[in-house]
Amino acid sequence: MVDIRKAVFPAAGFGTRFLPATKAIPKEMLPLVDKPLIQYVVEEAKSSGLQEIIIVTGMGKTAIEDHFDTSFELEKLLQERGKYELLKMIEEVSGMVHFAYTRQKKPLGLGHAISITRNLINNEPFSVFLGDDIIDSRVPAMKQMIGVYKKYSTSVLAVQKVPRSDARLYGIIKGKKVAPNVYRVLDLVEKPKGTPPSNLAIIGRYILTPGIFNALEVTRPGAGGEIQLTDALKILIQTEEIYACEFEGARYDAGDKLGFLKANVSLALKRPDIRADFVKFLKGLKL
Ligand code: UTP
């Protein structure tokens, strides 16, 4: 079994559900309390043992690179003003892990964004994180998935039960339960129009074998005219087994307005520095 070392972060989408906020600011840089979305997900990758992060960027996404870069002027200023706590925090962000960036020239879909990392991945299994799925869990969600990967040595998808009425918004799997919280995937469908095959929705974390790159090469544009990862997985499953891990944890779709608000409130309530005042404020709301 080959260890998972690399993480791909596709971040080249336009974030249309969050316009106008995302017109000039990447969705990934919207803050939850005081950290941009993407930092939460990078922290999850790091605490799952991943050392190399490949971010797929596109037009207007340079703020992501700046965020994880060193900022000489800012660090010098904090040093001069004796703000050592803040300095430490800023240094930690830039020193987190090793970052590489590649650019998707046209937003042709999530599958396409992953396909352009082929040369950087170099024929080994790898992980994928979608920056707007924020997962708050005791054990990092990707770490839970790596546990499943270690058992089956093949692709693993993160899944979560959703109300059947919401299935049309997700990629949905048809699975056979093989262990508590683990399914062997029998079929998948992206945004089902009719009756969904189950209520197990694919969430934005994946472990993929390099076989996905050949599958992506022959994947034609699907839902929304985009090259969909789910369609490539449907091709991959014809030659390789795929498993799904129903992870433990609360998941927020922070790329959606309501999901973003829920994530902000829940995470703020977990912050010892603001919790007491925030609870007082919430209790005072005449709802
Ligand atoms: P989404 O479906 O959330 O698209 O993409 P989006 O553009 O980010 O947001 P909305 O739906 O328009 O509001 C899922 C993930 O795939 C990436 C996105 O950045 C996001 O992390 N993606 C999507 C790309 O990197 N390239 C693409 O061409 C499409």
Side-chain angles (χ1 to χ4, degrees):
M1 189 211 41
V2 184
D3 278 350
I4 309 292
R5 301 183 306 127
K6 297 181 182 174
V8 171
F9 279 55
F14 280 141
T16 55
R17 283 172 297 158
F18 231 121
L19 282 167
T22 47
K23 188 173 170 218
I25 296 171
K27 171 171 75 174
E28 295 75 13
M29 291 304 293
L30 297 175
L32 288 180
V33 189
D34 54 5
K35 277 193 282 188
L37 289 179
I38 193 163
Q39 190 176 329
Y40 286 90
V41 189
V42 167
E43 285 172 4
E44 182 194 322
K46 190 180 174 202
S47 52
S48 301
L50 297 158
Q51 291 303 328
E52 237 177 283
I53 293 185
I54 298 160
I55 303 188
V56 181
T57 66
M59 212 179 63
K61 299 279 183 169
T62 46
I64 300 178
E65 288 179 56
D66 291 343
H67 182 70
F68 292 111
D69 198 0
T70 44
S71 171
F72 177 74
E73 292 82 359
L74 176 62
E75 287 170 27
K76 188 161 164 277
L77 181 110
L78 294 173
Q79 180 86 42
E80 282 165 5
R81 296 197 178 164
K83 303 208 166 175
Y84 301 116
E85 280 285 300
L86 284 175
L87 179 63
K88 189 165 161 264
M89 187 204 290
I90 292 298
E91 284 173 345
E92 269 170 16
V93 174
S94 56
M96 269 180 159
V97 282
H98 181 264
F99 291 95
Y101 297 90
T102 186
R103 218 169 146 105
Q104 188 189 21
K105 293 193 181 106
K106 277 190 192 163
L108 299 177
L110 171 61
H112 180 259
I114 292 172
S115 73
I116 66 166
T117 66
R118 185 172 200 157
N119 290 339
L120 295 166
I121 294 297
N122 207 5
N123 208 30
E124 60 182 270
F126 62 103
S127 57
V128 175
F129 292 74
L130 301 193
D132 44 7
D133 273 330
I134 300 295
I135 302 175
D136 182 21
S137 57
R138 202 174 41 81
V139 179
M142 183 53 75
K143 198 169 184 180
Q144 298 177 43
M145 295 170 68
I146 289 175
V148 176
Y149 167 78
K150 284 189 170 152
K151 193 155 174 215
Y152 298 98
S153 297
T154 190
S155 299
V156 180
L157 318 177
V159 292
Q160 194 176 46
K161 291 197 175 99
V162 296
R164 273 179 194 266
S165 53
D166 287 349
R168 65 192 163 77
L169 304 171
Y170 294 89
I172 300 287
I173 66 154
K174 181 177 170 192
K176 179 177 183 295
K177 199 166 191 160
V178 290
N181 300 330
V182 183
Y183 300 81
R184 187 157 78 78
V185 179
L186 304 175
D187 196 9
L188 331 85
V189 44
E190 181 63 30
K191 302 191 172 66
K193 291 212 174 72
T195 314
S198 79
N199 61 348
L200 290 167
I202 304 172
I203 303 303
R205 303 285 184 274
Y206 306 80
I207 291 173
L208 300 171
T209 63
I212 196 69
F213 293 116
N214 287 342
L216 282 165
E217 255 177 29
V218 293
T219 304
R220 303 271 63 90
E226 296 192 339
I227 298 183
Q228 297 288 354
L229 178 60
T230 310
D231 293 340
L233 290 166
K234 249 178 115 72
I235 296 172
L236 187 65
I237 206 171
Q238 291 167 16
T239 50
E240 289 180 16
E241 285 189 345
I242 298 179
Y243 286 83
C245 166
E246 192 181 351
F247 59 92
E248 164 282 317
R251 171 254 174 185
Y252 303 96
D253 178 4
D256 163 81
K257 288 170 205 133
L258 187 58
F260 178 79
L261 289 171
K262 287 180 185 170
N264 250 313
V265 172
S266 306
L267 294 175
L269 287 171
K270 290 194 163 189
R271 285 281 296 263
D273 53 336
I274 51 175
R275 183 186 154 85
D277 285 345
F278 192 45
V279 167
K280 215 190 285 171
F281 165 75
L282 291 175
K283 283 189 173 157
L285 291 175
K286 305 267 175 290
L287 298 173

